[in-house]
Amino acid sequence: MQETPAPVVDLGLAGKIVMITGAGSGIGRAAVAAFAAAGATVVAAGRRPEPLRESLKLAGLDESRGLAVRCDVTDEASVEAAVETAVSRFGHLDAAVNTAGTFGAIGPIATARYEDAAEVVSVNLMGMWLCVKHQARAMSGTGGGAIVTTGSVASFLGHSGSPMYAATKHGVVGLTKAAALQLAPQGIRVNAVCPGSTDTPMLRELYPDADQLQARAGRAPLGRVGEPAEVAAAALWLASPASSYVTGQALAVDGGVTAGSPAPVRTTKQ
C-alpha cells in the first residue's frame, strides 16, 4: 500500500526576513536550511564569510533570498552594521535566531585564567545582549517580530567542566525573560531554545573520542545526542507566527536530560 505523505505545516514564514547569527556551522547552519525550507529570506551572519556563503548554498538560497554578512557579536559596531545591512537590503527584519556561542576552556575554576572566562562572557552573554539590542531596535515600529536566543541545558544545570559557560547560559535565559517583558508592548517576542548535547563541530571538538561522545548520549533518556536540525526546528517554531502567544520562555531540546535522572524500574515479587 502506498504511504500517504506527511502534511506540510505552514508556519507562516514565507517571505519573512530572518537574521541568523553563528550561521556558518552547527545549529546555525541547520537553522539557515530550516528557514529556507519554510520560505523565509535568510541573512546569514558570522565572523567568516565563506562558511556563511556555504550555508546559503546548501540551503538552496540565491541572492534574492540569501545574504551573507560579517558579524562579530563581541563588537557592537559589527553587530549594528550587520543588522543595518540586513534592513537596508530587504527593508525590514521580522525575526532573528542567535546561535553564536563558545564553550571556552575546560578545567578547574581555581586555575582558570581571567582572559578565558572573559571571552566566554563576551561571546555568550554580552554578544547575545548586543544582538537582541540591535535586532529589537530594527523591529521596533515595524509591527514587531520574534527573537530567539540560544541557551543550553547548562541554562538549568551546572557544568563542572566550565562553570563560566554555565553562568553565561543561565544569564541568557535571564536576559531572554527580561527582554520579553520589556519588548512585549512593541510586539516583539523573545524566547530561548536550550539544546542538550548536539552533534555539532563544537561538541566533537570538546569530546573527540567515540567513548566520550557515547557517554554524552547516555546522559539523555532518549539515549542519543541531538541533531542540529532538531534544535533548528524548535527555533523555527519559536520564531514563527505559529508561536504567537509564546514569549519569555526557555524551551529545552535535550532528549530529556533536564527532566531528571532516569532510574530503573524495580519490581517486587509477591
Side-chain angles (χ1 to χ4, degrees), residues 37 39 50 62-63 70 76 81 86 95 119 122 136 139 153 163 215 237 244 267:
E50 190 54 41
D62 59 21
E63 293 183 356
R70 187 184 180 281
E76 181 163 17
E119 180 184 11
S122 181
M139 294 174 186
V153 290
W237 180 73
S244 58
T267 59

Side-chain angles (χ1 to χ4, degrees), residues 49-244:
E50 190 54 41
L52 300 176
R53 287 192 285 267
E54 182 68 14
S55 292
L56 294 172
K57 180 180 178 181
L58 290 170
L61 295 176
D62 59 21
E63 293 183 356
S64 67
R65 285 184 52 213
L67 175 67
V69 295
R70 187 184 180 281
C71 180
D72 179 351
V73 299
T74 67
D75 179 350
E76 181 163 17
S78 179
V79 175
E80 184 176 20
V83 174
E84 287 179 351
T85 298
V87 173
S88 176
R89 172 67 178 277
F90 297 113
H92 61 282
L93 187 65
D94 296 302
V97 178
N98 298 305
T99 74
T102 185
F103 196 84
I106 295 179
I109 193 170
T111 57
R113 299 194 315 155
Y114 177 88
E115 294 82 2
D116 293 336
E119 180 184 11
V120 178
V121 175
S122 181
V123 175
N124 291 357
L125 190 53
M126 292 303 296
M128 192 67 71
W129 174 73
L130 286 173
C131 289
V132 172
K133 172 184 175 180
H134 289 284
Q135 291 158 356
R137 180 179 293 176
M139 294 174 186
S140 297
T142 61
I147 299 173
V148 180
T149 63
T150 302
S152 166
V153 290
S155 295
F156 314 110
L157 307 171
H159 195 296
S160 62
S162 180
M164 193 54 72
Y165 178 79
T168 57
K169 290 301 185 177
H170 274 67
V172 166
V173 171
L175 170 65
T176 299
K177 291 178 178 293
L181 294 172
Q182 188 178 102
L183 296 173
Q186 300 172 46
I188 300 171
R189 299 183 299 108
V190 190
N191 292 287
V193 62
C194 297
S197 293
T198 306
D199 194 1
T200 62
M202 186 170 77
L203 184 73
R204 288 186 175 269
E205 183 179 343
L206 288 169
Y207 306 104
D209 297 333
D211 289 345
Q212 292 176 317
L213 206 59
Q214 185 57 42
R216 301 301 298 177
R219 294 175 66 238
L222 291 184
R224 62 179 178 85
V225 298
E227 294 296 329
E230 293 176 305
V231 182
L236 187 76
W237 180 73
L238 288 172
S240 78
S243 61
S244 58

